[in-house]
Amino acid sequence: MSGHISIKDGLHAAARRIREVLHKGETAVIPTDTVYGIIADPWSAAAVERIFAAKHRPVQKSVQILCSDIRQAQDCDIIIPPLYTRLLACFPAGSLCIVCPASDGCRLATAREEGGMRTQAVRFPAGRTLQYLLETAGPVAASSANRSGEASATDAEQAEDELGEAVSLYVDGGSTPGAAASTVVSLDRVTMLRIAEGKDADTSQAKLDVLREGVISAEDVAAAMRTVMRSQ
């Protein structure tokens, strides 16, 4: 039987329960800054597989990680180029998901092999409550708390209706704002490879691809990128 806890009963207690569940290699459902998400320990392949199984999600798809801030992502051995830092500053927190190179020491089970290097999609969500949960429980592998192809859950009851006992802990934080998908961006392969290999920090010729258009339009991303490039 799945466990339940409400953030209204104490944020610290909820964060502690989440940490305990993830440490056991199990999954939890939490409210995010958009919809409810299913989360797991990003360093455990078995735990990440539980996300796919609960959602009936095709294994070919990637799983992002949520981090409280850039430093927490860097502690996961994810390389955050300064260009990304400047780009993130152009938009509201959580609106961009950035695909980054993973260093040789990165042991995230969510990292993806592509183009001769390992990459990881990471998002820094908005909202003090969620940031506190991430600061306390650590970075998490995350996906929306619904079966693949179904509507996203905006409260804990909807999430449980979708995922049932495949999830060990449901954290009730009330209703969330609803689906507002982040825009996923990635630097071009050549730039990513140079950054990953540590050859140089020159990104003057970098290009940015919008892999998924979300709350931030591709046009706005392109305009911000031009501004960032001019400021280098």
Side-chain angles (χ1 to χ4, degrees), residues 6 14 17 29 41 44 71 75 87 137 140 147 154 168 179 188:
S6 173
R17 285 286 305 279
V29 160
D41 177 356
S44 168
R71 176 171 291 185
D75 288 343
L87 187 67
V140 297
R147 290 200 174 201
T154 56
S168 298
D188 64 277

Side-chain angles (χ1 to χ4, degrees), residues 50-220:
R50 287 191 171 94
I51 291 179
F52 284 90
K55 287 173 59 73
H56 298 268
R57 180 180 173 88
V59 295
Q60 297 86 356
K61 293 190 175 183
S62 301
V63 173
Q64 67 176 350
I65 68 167
L66 301 181
C67 292
S68 61
D69 54 28
I70 287 176
R71 176 171 291 185
Q72 192 177 69
Q74 291 171 330
D75 288 343
C76 298
D77 292 309
I78 296 171
I79 303 169
I80 312 288
L83 189 153
Y84 270 156
T85 303
R86 294 192 290 270
L87 187 67
L88 288 168
C90 296
F91 299 106
S95 59
L96 287 185
C97 177
I98 53 175
V99 178
C100 304
S103 71
D104 290 341
C106 181
R107 295 294 177 264
L108 290 169
T110 48
R112 182 174 180 173
E113 292 275 355
E114 55 184 1
M117 63 181 168
R118 297 175 73 227
T119 61
Q120 176 62 57
V122 57
R123 190 169 77 88
F124 307 102
R128 229 2 252 155
T129 295
L130 182 52
Q131 288 178 356
Y132 176 82
L133 294 177
L134 294 172
E135 289 166 2
T136 304
V140 297
S143 185
S144 57
N146 54 271
R147 290 200 174 201
S148 187
E150 299 296 325
S152 301
T154 56
D155 61 43
E157 184 177 357
Q158 291 174 6
E160 188 167 14
D161 286 344
E162 283 285 309
L163 304 179
E165 293 188 6
V167 173
S168 298
L169 176 67
Y170 287 89
V171 180
D172 188 351
S175 297
T176 57
S182 60
T183 295
V184 182
V185 299
S186 175
L187 290 169
D188 64 277
R189 180 176 176 273
V190 171
T191 299
M192 293 268 272
L193 277 170
R194 292 189 70 85
I195 292 170
E197 294 170 357
K199 288 186 175 178
D200 61 47
D202 180 17
T203 55
S204 60
Q205 302 301 313
K207 297 178 182 178
L208 193 74
D209 295 321
V210 175
L211 304 184
R212 183 188 72 193
E213 191 171 21
V215 65
I216 305 298
S217 69
E219 291 79 7
D220 285 346

